[in-house]
Amino acid sequence: MTDALQPERLARAALSRLGEPGDLRMTGLVHDLGAMRVHEHLSGERDLRGVLTDIAARLASLDPVRDLESADRLGIRFVIPGDPEWPAQVDDLTHALPVQERGGMPLGLWVRGPLRIDQHRDAVAIVGSRSATTYGEGVASRLAADLAQHGVTIVSGAAFGIDKAAHRGALGGGGATVAVLACGVDRVYPLAHKALLDHLADHGAVVSELPPGSAPTRARFLARNRLIAALTRGTIVVEAAVRSGALNTANWADRLSRPLMAVPGPVTSAQSAGVHQLVRAGSAQLVTSGADAREILGVAGTHLLVEPRAVQRPRDKLRPRDARVLEAVPVSRPAEVESIARTAGLGLIEVQSALVRLAREEFVVRVPSGWQLGEAARV
Amino acid sequence: MTDALQPERLARAALSRLGEPGDLRMTGLVHDLGAMRVHEHLSGERDLRGVLTDIAARLASLDPVRDLESADRLGIRFVIPGDPEWPAQVDDLTHALPVQERGGMPLGLWVRGPLRIDQHRDAVAIVGSRSATTYGEGVASRLAADLAQHGVTIVSGAAFGIDKAAHRGALGGGGATVAVLACGVDRVYPLAHKALLDHLADHGAVVSELPPGSAPTRARFLARNRLIAALTRGTIVVEAAVRSGALNTANWADRLSRPLMAVPGPVTSAQSAGVHQLVRAGSAQLVTSGADAREILGVAGTHLLVEPRAVQRPRDKLRPRDARVLEAVPVSRPAEVESIARTAGLGLIEVQSALVRLAREEFVVRVPSGWQLGEAARV
């Protein structure tokens, strides 16, 4: 590791072991003074605004050089601002309002996997409930597959439920997919997802602002959520109960002024209640398909929406006069031609010949007591 | 039948046998000249704007006195504007833009059943697919029951699926319920709903603008839908495929500036696709329960009343999507639609249609260089 940013990288690697991710004191200081000056101050055990002395002592025991070397041996790189691989969209976190007293830029991103994380400005986050339903998992997977097929990188966590379904869908769609963790990228959480995480490390990317070895905590999940929103161009919530963590990611997308999208579900499902709440509150736009999401995100020129249309029915092809006569045929029982003519407000002869034409295509059928609707009219 | 309105009633009864419901020529003439003058002109076989001679001849064969008498014997009354039982909210149809060349006030309403139809200003329409799913029927029924328990009258058609589920729910909730038909109120369509219609005729009301004996036609269903929207304070669509007739009713609610609400469902269900489209287009607000609907409708006794609120400004009544677009229009200078869309984080087409709606109420004004805030936005 002999690059121009080496001193900066060492400072950031060290600091990333000190504070909690998204701790506003740390991210604020680094923003104001720069990582190296903060590191220098703390190493000198000088007090900084009276808040950091408690952690300064720990700095002595750290060895960022060894840290970066052992990460390297594990195939993990530490990407920091200024690096060519730094994803510029993450910088937006500098100006986003904190959520639950967390916020600000990550000190750096620890990355495992072949995917360069700076090349996914079109990435989309798909997040949702861990205890998703079969419906939710199916929808998340199909959404991710559709987006992946259109060149959109999928970003999510690595949890059960929607996260996993999203990655699976993206992989199935032959696309790129990124997992952002609330623990070190060398750790496996949940354990059941070892194969998934290994696969992503081999073919996609596993990302965290926590240094290798760090354990997941609730607070770290909340801080992690801002990265999922920041790395992507928009966030889709697939299933979320009323107090789901996915709503925290949604909140971050909102703070970052990125489109927030929500997939509806049955109103009888608790796993959709939080999603519906987002739509009702006007925070999220309802999406029902990858096409909907691509339109909102303006992916690849698809944003001029073609409204979903029902299949053309045979009756759509009728000439207007015939359509008018057809509309005048009672739906319940046969009618005489005079009565159909009266209803249609057309002449008798005209109606008679329209009926004959309509009968030819089975829109109407002649029966002893007049005319009734035929097979084709019921489609 | 010896009331002050008798000549008017006879004229309207006769005219109601002449034209098709919602025929703009007829509703326009009656609006401009009054029913009696139109009837008189036609009886004198004088031409009226060259359009009605074809039906004038038929007038001679009609006997409105006998018509009203025989309706009376069947327990059917003909309620016309000016009657104490006339539901004043229907008058809004006078100014609503036509939908598919149909519109205007009904000539009168043929009513069967003990419920007075003028006493349901709080009524809500619940409409949706005939081929509803078990999910949709369950939701419609529970919604209707909840609203009925809160004193809200339910209005719907008499079709299979959502219509029937809504009536059943309302009856189960001990509430009032009204069926509006696309045929004479003495007829039973569909035949399988004889028991339901009989029950409504005994305990609620069955209403139609078509005189007794009239058969249902497709065109009449479309005209009927405007009455369902006009009789109610808001419309809830429970399930609707992309081209469902329920969307026609939804369209009418919109034209009448009445809240349109939509119940989401699985995105995998074709029966929810039309509903989701309404929400995506910003035409309908998403509701998941009776409480949601009551809040939107401001039905007495809901939690809305508990929360102290700031003085209502015109903009507070905007639908959430429109409010969001309005907030994205710069206060200082005009902006192009693309820039507004970007700021609002919404799709271009969506923003465009919101701007057109907002312009109608002078929240925004179109100027050469884009859109700027209008008078109403400054209040």
Side-chain angles (χ1 to χ4, degrees), chain B residues 112 114 171 177 193-206:
Chain B
R112 192 173 148 223
L171 294 167
T177 185
H193 284 180
K194 181 166 180 7
L196 173 67
L197 285 165
D198 284 348
H199 190 88
L200 292 179
D202 286 343
H203 300 99
V206 182

Side-chain angles (χ1 to χ4, degrees), chain B residues 320-344:
Chain B
R321 191 50 49 93
D322 290 2
R324 184 156 162 193
V325 170
L326 183 58
E327 297 217 331
V329 179
V331 291
S332 47
R333 45 162 190 77
E336 305 275 14
V337 59
E338 291 85 344
S339 135
I340 297 171
R342 214 159 38 237
T343 305

Side-chain angles (χ1 to χ4, degrees), chain A residues 294-306:
Chain A
R294 285 183 276 115
E295 185 213 333
I296 288 169
L297 296 163
V299 172
T302 55
H303 66 283
L304 282 184
L305 168 73
V306 181

Side-chain angles (χ1 to χ4, degrees), chain A residues 135 142 264 266-268 276 280 282 285-286 292 295 307-308 310 313 315-316 327 330-333 342-343, chain B residues 20 58 135 142 187 189 215-218 243 264 266-268 276-277 280 286 292 295 324 345-346 350:
Chain A
Y135 164 72
R142 273 192 302 280
V267 298
T268 45
H276 293 149
R280 290 191 60 225
Q285 298 177 70
L286 189 142
D292 285 0
E295 185 213 333
E307 276 288 310
R313 293 172 304 179
R315 70 160 43 144
D316 299 330
E327 296 218 334
V331 292
S332 50
R333 46 155 190 77
R342 210 156 46 236
T343 303
Chain B
E20 275 300 297
R58 288 164 48 204
Y135 163 72
R142 275 194 301 281
R187 297 187 64 129
Y189 181 82
T217 69
R218 229 179 91 74
R243 292 180 66 166
V267 298
T268 45
H276 293 149
Q277 213 173 33
R280 290 191 59 227
L286 189 143
D292 285 0
E295 189 199 325
R324 184 156 162 193
L346 296 172
E350 201 170 10

